[in-house]
Amino acid sequence: AMGETLTIITGGIDLSVGSMMGLSAVVMGALWRDGGVSLPIAIVITLFVGLAGGALNAAMITKLKAPPLIVTLGTFSLFRGIAEGLTRGIENYSGFPQEFLFLGQGYAWNLIPTQLFIFVPAVAAVWWWLHRTGFGRSFYAIGFSQEAARYAGIKVRRRLNLLYCLSGIGASVAGIIYVAHLGQAKSDAGTGYELTAIAAVVLGGASIFGGRGTVLGTVLGLFAIVVLQNG
């Protein structure tokens, strides 16, 4: 949802984040169980997979001038298809070590979920970057008008490339935590999560046409959705 906030503020969208979660989960599981790679190295490689997926989206959007909706709808199917192909649609990866599962299932001091130690710094970092730096505020200018932002001296293409790469990495991080939470890596991991992320951003007050949105609004929108689901 943090990555989705940034892309929506610039007038774009990323529909591929849920599929990237599934691909990341499968890649990590395959590297660890079938590839004989240690889990820390598998996690690092998985993050690079997210970076590559985001870079693919960025290249087609900024260099080919394709609409973000069409591009990410295509990679939505591409990433999920690769994940299904790697597992043949039926294979699951499980048996992860307890130290890794603690990331998704454990509690610090029997009270605080361990995922919170990733979520809170991520929210704080994105909030500071978006609302307290000139670089972050330039995303709003891009969302209002890319042409005007270019004439104002903002390197639009470079910023959009960065945002979609960050969105891909964020989806990979979410995929890793998802595997740690469930204890197994499946190709259908993250199914429908792109809609939840987009709904949280829009519910938090962001404009789907770009130029408006806040990190705090996204967090509140996310809480509203999750509380309704769990309730």
Side-chain angles (χ1 to χ4, degrees):
M2 290 298 101
E4 203 72 63
T5 301
L6 299 174
T7 55
I8 287 178
I9 284 174
T10 60
I13 198 166
D14 190 352
L15 294 173
S16 67
V17 289
S19 298
M20 177 52 71
M21 283 181 64
L23 179 58
S24 298
V26 166
V27 167
M28 185 182 69
L31 287 171
W32 173 71
R33 196 184 74 180
D34 299 337
V37 178
S38 66
L39 198 54
I41 296 177
I43 289 173
V44 172
I45 294 174
T46 300
L47 294 177
F48 276 103
V49 170
L51 175 63
L56 176 63
N57 285 334
M60 289 190 286
I61 290 169
T62 60
K63 293 185 178 180
L64 301 182
K65 306 296 183 183
L69 179 67
I70 303 303
V71 169
T72 57
L73 186 61
T75 53
F76 162 87
S77 299
L78 173 65
F79 298 154
R80 186 70 68 186
I82 295 173
E84 293 281 355
L86 289 173
T87 61
R88 294 179 293 279
I90 56 174
E91 191 170 1
N92 295 338
Y93 300 100
S94 58
F96 293 97
Q98 195 60 42
E99 296 81 8
F100 172 70
L101 297 180
F102 183 76
L103 174 65
Q105 302 174 5
Y107 287 84
W109 306 291
N110 295 319
L111 180 65
I112 303 174
T114 49
Q115 305 101 309
L116 210 61
F117 293 102
I118 298 176
F119 179 68
V120 171
V123 170
V126 175
W127 175 86
W128 174 82
W129 190 41
L130 182 62
H131 299 297
R132 290 294 182 268
T133 68
F135 193 95
R137 285 194 290 270
S138 68
F139 299 146
Y140 290 96
I142 295 172
F144 278 117
S145 172
Q146 289 193 17
E147 286 301 315
R150 286 191 185 93
Y151 285 121
I154 296 173
K155 294 179 173 61
V156 174
R157 179 183 293 183
R158 186 177 299 177
R159 280 164 170 74
L160 291 180
N161 284 333
L162 176 62
L163 288 190
Y164 283 96
C165 287
L166 288 177
S167 182
I169 293 173
S172 287
V173 172
I176 292 166
I177 298 172
Y178 185 91
V179 172
H181 182 66
L182 291 185
Q184 58 181 342
K186 304 185 296 182
S187 61
D188 64 351
T191 300
Y193 273 41
E194 62 282 334
L195 298 180
T196 302
I198 294 168
V201 177
V202 176
L203 192 62
S207 171
I208 200 70
F209 301 107
R212 192 176 76 228
T214 64
V215 172
L216 180 58
T218 295
V219 173
L220 292 175
L222 190 62
F223 281 164
I225 291 172
V226 174
V227 167
L228 285 172
Q229 287 177 341
N230 291 337

